[in-house]
Amino acid sequence: AEKIIDAAFDSLFVINERGIIEMVNATSTTVFGWTTEEFIGQNISMIMPSDHAENHNSYLERYMKTRFKKMIGKEREVEAR
C-alpha cells in the first residue's frame, strides 16, 4: 500500500484516529514544501485553513463516538495553507 500511495499524483495522507499523520506521499512533500519527517507525527490540521483546522479534531472525535461518516471516506477538495 505504501508504494501505491507514494506513486499517486495527488497529495495523500494517512492519519490515525486523532488526526496524527502516519504516512505521507512524495507529492505532498513537493506540493507543501515540507519533508516527510516534518509531516510525520503532526496533526493533519497543519495543512488546513484555520476555519477547518479549528474544528477538525472535534469532527474526528464525533466520528469515533458515533461512527457516523459525515465527511470521512468522501473525496473532497479544500484549499490548504
Side-chain angles (χ1 to χ4, degrees):
E2 189 172 338
K3 289 182 181 186
I4 293 170
I5 289 171
D6 205 39
F9 293 109
D10 292 325
S11 293
L12 297 175
F13 296 85
V14 175
I15 63 172
N16 67 16
E17 67 278 355
R18 293 170 303 157
I20 303 302
I21 300 169
E22 295 183 338
M23 187 184 304
V24 59
N25 70 348
T27 301
S28 297
T29 63
T30 301
V31 168
F32 292 99
W34 290 311
T35 65
T36 298
E37 292 76 19
E38 290 173 307
F39 277 121
I40 301 298
Q42 299 299 315
N43 193 291
I44 190 68
S45 63
M46 74 184 285
I47 65 165
M48 297 176 186
S50 60
D51 57 328
H52 289 288
E54 292 170 5
N55 297 313
H56 191 260
N57 286 344
S58 64
Y59 299 155
L60 289 174
E61 288 173 16
R62 181 177 48 228
Y63 169 72
M64 293 304 293
K65 288 178 184 174
T66 66
R67 295 296 191 205
F68 176 71
K69 295 179 183 179
K70 187 172 184 179
M71 293 304 294
I72 292 175
K74 295 181 180 175
E75 185 175 326
R76 63 190 180 270
E77 200 168 303
V78 294
E79 191 172 317
R81 285 190 205 184

